[in-house]
């Protein structure tokens, strides 16, 4: 599918205030430099040799980082931070980074944490707010979850949300959340525009599934994979120690199988990976259960990793939605467990199946060092963007560079595992499962 991207960044106005951050303007002097608005990154790193067409501004991504001149006078700034949606490793690291950069680098001392997501803006819930400073957030990166609390829903009440933002006299709002949350951020920004308010809206992409479009990866993803690998290791021990042992592990991945694929590659102990992007039959001569049976007969044990979004096209009869607008899925892990048990009972084969669903344990873990570094840098980049007057943007990593991306571009579609990509090819090499477990007749 082709997408027409426009990476132009909106600004609140001219950046005319000298930044309190002292940096060099000269390349090569071994001192940290400001970032200028003429520094860009290309989305695609692929190139075909030969004469290249001219590159338009709309086709390239603006580099993130501190500017020499900023839009807001630091002493006048009141910043807000809100975390929305499900938990994810690293949220507290992002909060900590934003607070510390605002306070220590720019001298912003009015920083307010909004409690329990967008619901915290709505007067009827009376959740209140929490004033933040470096001392309060100093150790929160050691904890999982979110220091401010989180909730789904409330993002559609944009009039009430912006009313509260006006009452609080916020100049900028940092929104940590997934694509549904960032759609809400864009709606809030449009209401802010209607009222001619000068409020910077900055998104930090949070989705443990790693399904944000355009960016290299979402924070928390590496930690989720590391935690899932521990669970797979336990499932493998259980399976290998039993008669015809089978370890079945369900991991997160509503629409994208990145956690499942990366877990298989990292663990070296997974024999089957089932993800939403690759269709498969359960029954039939080339179905998953047939191949599982063959594996048990040959090797006497097997480990299966299934993403939560797998088979939903077959299992979902009536769509229902949660408060965040997400489809309520059928538990595919429980379903496949029952089908495996039934299959081997009909074959008269003894099996010992252990089913593990570590989803909440994985997403509530503190960030590992790699994600913690990533979150620190995301938070810093978000603050620099807000102080420079950028708005309606998401901070992300593209081609290993921190950049500003328009929210509307990032939420235009979701990133998914390409079944024809090297990632999936390497996953098949790691598991030795068939490239397709479908029958040539009978449909999917």
């Amino acid at each position: 599918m082709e997408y027409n991207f426009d990476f132009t960044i909106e600004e609140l106005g001219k950046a005319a205030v000298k930044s309190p951050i002292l940096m060099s303007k000269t390349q090569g002097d071994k001192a940290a430099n400001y970032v200028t608005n003429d520094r860009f990154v290309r989305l695609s790193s692929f190139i075909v040799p030969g004469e290249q067409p001219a590159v338009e501004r709309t086709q390239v991504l603006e580099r993130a980082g501190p500017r020499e001149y900023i839009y807001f006078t630091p002493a006048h700034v009141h910043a807000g931070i809100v975390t929305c949606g499900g938990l994810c490793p690293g949220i507290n690291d992002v909060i900590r980074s934003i607070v510390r950069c605002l306070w220590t680098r720019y001298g912003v001392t009015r920083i307010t944490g909004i409690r329990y997501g967008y619901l915290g803006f709505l007067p009827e819930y009376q959740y209140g707010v929490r004033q933040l400073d470096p001392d309060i957030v100093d150790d929160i990166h050691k904890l999982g979850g979110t220091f401010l609390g989180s909730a789904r829903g409330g993002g559609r009440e944009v009039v009430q949300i912006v009313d509260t933002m006006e009452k609080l006299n916020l100049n900028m709002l940092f929104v940590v959340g997934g694509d549904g949350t960032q759609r809400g951020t864009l709606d809030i920004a449009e209401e802010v525009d209607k009222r001619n308010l000068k409020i910077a809206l900055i998104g930090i992409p949070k989705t443990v599934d790693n399904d944000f479009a355009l960016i290299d990866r979402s924070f928390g993803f590496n930690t989720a994979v590391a935690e899932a690998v521990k669970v797979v290791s336990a499932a493998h021990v259980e399976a290998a120690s039993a008669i015809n042992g089978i370890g079945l592990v369900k991991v997160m991945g509503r629409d994208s199988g990145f956690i499942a694929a990366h877990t298989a590659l990292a663990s070296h102990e997974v024999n089957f990976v089932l993800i939403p992007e690759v269709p498969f039959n359960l029954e039939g001569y080339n179905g998953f259960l047939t191949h599982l049976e063959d594996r048990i007969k040959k090797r006497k044990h097997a480990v299966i990793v299934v993403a939560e979004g797998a088979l939903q096209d077959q299992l979902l009869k009536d769509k229902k939605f949660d408060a965040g607008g997400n489809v309520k899925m059928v538990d595919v892990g429980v379903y496949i467990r029952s089908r495996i048990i039934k299959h081997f009972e009909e074959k008269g084969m003894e099996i010992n199946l252990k089913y593990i669903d570590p989803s909440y344990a994985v997403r509530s873990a503190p960030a590992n060092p790699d994600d913690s570094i990533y979150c620190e840098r995301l938070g810093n980049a978000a603050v620099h963007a807000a102080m420079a007057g950028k708005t309606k943007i998401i901070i992300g990593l593209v081609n290993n560079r921190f950049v500003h991306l328009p929210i509307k571009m990032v939420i235009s579609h979701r990133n998914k595992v390409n079944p024809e990509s090297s990632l999936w090819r390497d996953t098949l090499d790691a598991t030795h499962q068939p490239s397709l477990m479908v029958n040539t007749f009978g449909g999917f």
Side-chain angles (χ1 to χ4, degrees), residues 251-318:
V251 296
M252 289 164 289
R254 294 178 60 87
D255 299 290
S256 306
F258 288 106
I259 292 179
H262 282 257
T263 297
L265 287 168
S267 70
H268 311 291
E269 294 173 335
V270 178
N271 309 115
F272 297 94
V273 178
L274 309 176
I275 62 174
E277 297 91 333
V278 180
F280 61 95
N281 292 125
L282 283 174
E283 306 286 354
Y285 74 93
N286 194 35
F288 161 69
L289 292 173
T290 297
H291 290 289
L292 175 61
E293 181 183 334
D294 290 342
R295 162 78 191 186
I296 294 298
K297 287 177 179 178
K298 293 175 183 177
R299 300 299 300 274
K300 308 304 181 185
H301 72 280
V303 176
I304 307 152
V305 172
V306 57
E308 62 181 317
L311 275 186
Q312 295 299 322
D313 57 331
Q314 301 175 45
L315 299 179
L316 278 176
K317 305 302 180 184
D318 298 312

Side-chain angles (χ1 to χ4, degrees), residues 1 3-7 61 118 175-190 202-207 211-215 218 255 392-395 404-416:
M1 183 179 294
Y3 298 94
N4 294 317
F5 295 120
D6 182 349
F7 294 123
L61 302 161
Y118 286 136
V175 183
V176 185
D179 63 343
T181 296
Q182 302 305 343
R183 290 179 196 279
T185 305
L186 196 57
D187 292 339
I188 292 167
E190 290 172 355
I202 310 293
I204 296 94
K206 174 198 67 66
T207 168
D211 59 358
F212 260 109
L214 306 179
I215 64 175
S218 303
D255 299 290
K392 301 181 188 177
I393 68 167
I394 281 177
I395 303 297
H404 302 152
L405 300 105
I407 293 177
K408 60 183 177 181
M409 295 295 103
V410 181
I411 64 174
S412 61
H413 64 285
R414 285 186 174 178
N415 193 23
K416 296 188 178 185

Side-chain angles (χ1 to χ4, degrees), residues 13-29:
K14 183 180 179 181
V17 178
K18 187 73 170 69
S19 174
I21 300 177
L22 299 179
M23 289 189 172
S24 172
K25 294 185 287 185
T26 305
Q27 296 290 328
D29 60 1

Side-chain angles (χ1 to χ4, degrees), residues 307-340:
E308 62 181 317
L311 275 186
Q312 295 299 322
D313 57 331
Q314 301 175 45
L315 299 179
L316 278 176
K317 305 302 180 184
D318 298 312
K319 287 188 178 180
K320 296 181 180 179
F321 301 87
D322 63 20
N326 298 309
V327 175
K328 292 184 178 180
M329 292 184 168
V330 175
D331 193 327
V332 68
V334 171
Y335 178 77
I336 288 181
R337 176 182 63 179
S338 66
R339 293 294 298 270
I340 292 173

